[in-house]
């Protein structure tokens, strides 16, 4: 694995503004969102609205990813994604969610998730996850992917490639009538082939008019995830695989989650809807 030095927190830039005409989620300016009490099965109209939100999120992520290179700061990636979302009439869902200060998450190397964009400079050989959620039309679309920065070592490159494959296999396992835990079973069995850890404490989630509806999608074979999938259910699958332990520490910022052994980790995510025959990905660019 790359001998990169470990990450340390950088300096935050001022909070970016969102044009006043863009609709805000209800939680902005509040310590926490109002708990979701609606159904997990969505109407066709809500699903189509989520498809729009998901497409904008995916395109914003792609636009930010085009700027990934050694020497670029994660704050610059945040600026690009923020501008793209606002230019397309969408609110960056993470901005102000439970106090999160930026418009996407940038998780580098040993960061499992929720890395905050700041003055940290990307280095040749890093891997970085971009996690973007768009809110438009009263609904959210949530996606993420891990990218290579310059010349990346083979062990890290394979981790990224196989984490993407784990997500693809999990999506194929989605079928109405099956229990949610089939998703984690597929991810875990694939990851074990390579000796990867599968993070348990951070999961996929229900998503619709609510950023996190309360529905939990474990990425391991949980005996408790017995909810049966039904057509119209909308949720994310976002496996986090590690080269070592799944134990973790959280930085003093209250957000940045790093592997306890500081080994690398990768993640990929799509928002999808259960159909009559399988799953339809809503976060395609």
């Amino acid at each position: 694995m790359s001998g990169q030095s470990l990450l340390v927190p950088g300096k935050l830039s001022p909070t970016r503004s969102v044009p006043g005409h863009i609709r805000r989620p209800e939680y902005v300016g509040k310590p926490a969102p109002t708990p979701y009490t609606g159904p997990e099965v969505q109407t066709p109209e809500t699903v189509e609205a989520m498809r729009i939100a998901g497409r904008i999120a995916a395109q914003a992520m792609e636009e930010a990813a085009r700027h990934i290179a050694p020497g670029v700061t994660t704050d610059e990636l945040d600026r690009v994604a923020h501008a793209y979302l606002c230019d397309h009439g969408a609110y960056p869902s993470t901005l102000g969610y439970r106090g999160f200060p930026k418009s996407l998450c940038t998780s580098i190397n040993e960061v499992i998730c929720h890395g905050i964009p700041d003055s940290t400079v990307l280095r040749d050989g890093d891997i970085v996850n971009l996690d973007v959620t768009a809110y438009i039309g009263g609904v959210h679309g949530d996606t993420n992917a891990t990218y290579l920065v310059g010349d990346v070592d083979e062990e890290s490159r394979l981790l990224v490639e196989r984490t993407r494959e784990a997500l693809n296999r999990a999506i194929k396992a989605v079928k109405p009538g099956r229990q949610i835990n089939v998703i984690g079973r597929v991810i875990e069995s694939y990851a074990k082939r390579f000796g990867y850890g599968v993070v348990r404490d951070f999961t996929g989630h229900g998503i619709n008019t609510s950023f996190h509806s309360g529905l939990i999608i474990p990425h391991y074979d949980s005996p408790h995830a017995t909810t049966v999938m039904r057509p119209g259910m909308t949720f994310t699958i976002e496996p986090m695989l590690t080269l070592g332990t799944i134990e973790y520490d959280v930085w003093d910022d209250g957000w940045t989650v790093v592997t306890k052994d500081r080994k690398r980790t990768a993640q990929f995510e799509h928002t999808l809807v259960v159909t009559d025959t399988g799953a339809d990905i809503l976060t395609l660019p």
Side-chain angles (χ1 to χ4, degrees), residues 7-118:
L7 293 167
V8 295
K11 182 179 179 181
L12 286 180
S13 64
T15 301
R16 294 190 161 86
S17 61
V18 176
H21 69 275
I22 293 178
R23 179 178 173 185
R24 272 78 169 150
E26 59 82 24
Y27 52 75
V28 174
K30 295 162 54 175
T34 302
Y36 179 72
T37 56
E40 296 297 347
V41 171
Q42 305 304 309
T43 66
E45 292 76 18
T46 297
V47 171
E48 288 313 302
M50 290 179 65
R51 195 183 305 277
I52 293 170
R55 182 170 64 244
I56 292 172
Q59 290 170 341
M61 184 177 73
E62 281 197 339
E63 183 62 27
R66 276 193 273 272
H67 293 74
I68 290 173
V72 174
T73 65
T74 53
D75 186 68
E76 173 64 8
L77 303 180
D78 181 78
R79 185 196 66 77
V80 172
H82 179 92
Y84 189 97
L85 291 167
C86 293
D87 288 348
H88 290 79
Y91 185 92
S93 300
T94 60
L95 184 61
Y97 178 78
R98 297 184 182 271
F100 192 85
K102 293 296 173 183
S103 298
L104 81 164
C105 298
T106 50
S107 300
I108 302 171
N109 297 346
E110 68 265 26
V111 180
I112 294 172
C113 57
H114 303 159
I116 301 175
D118 58 18

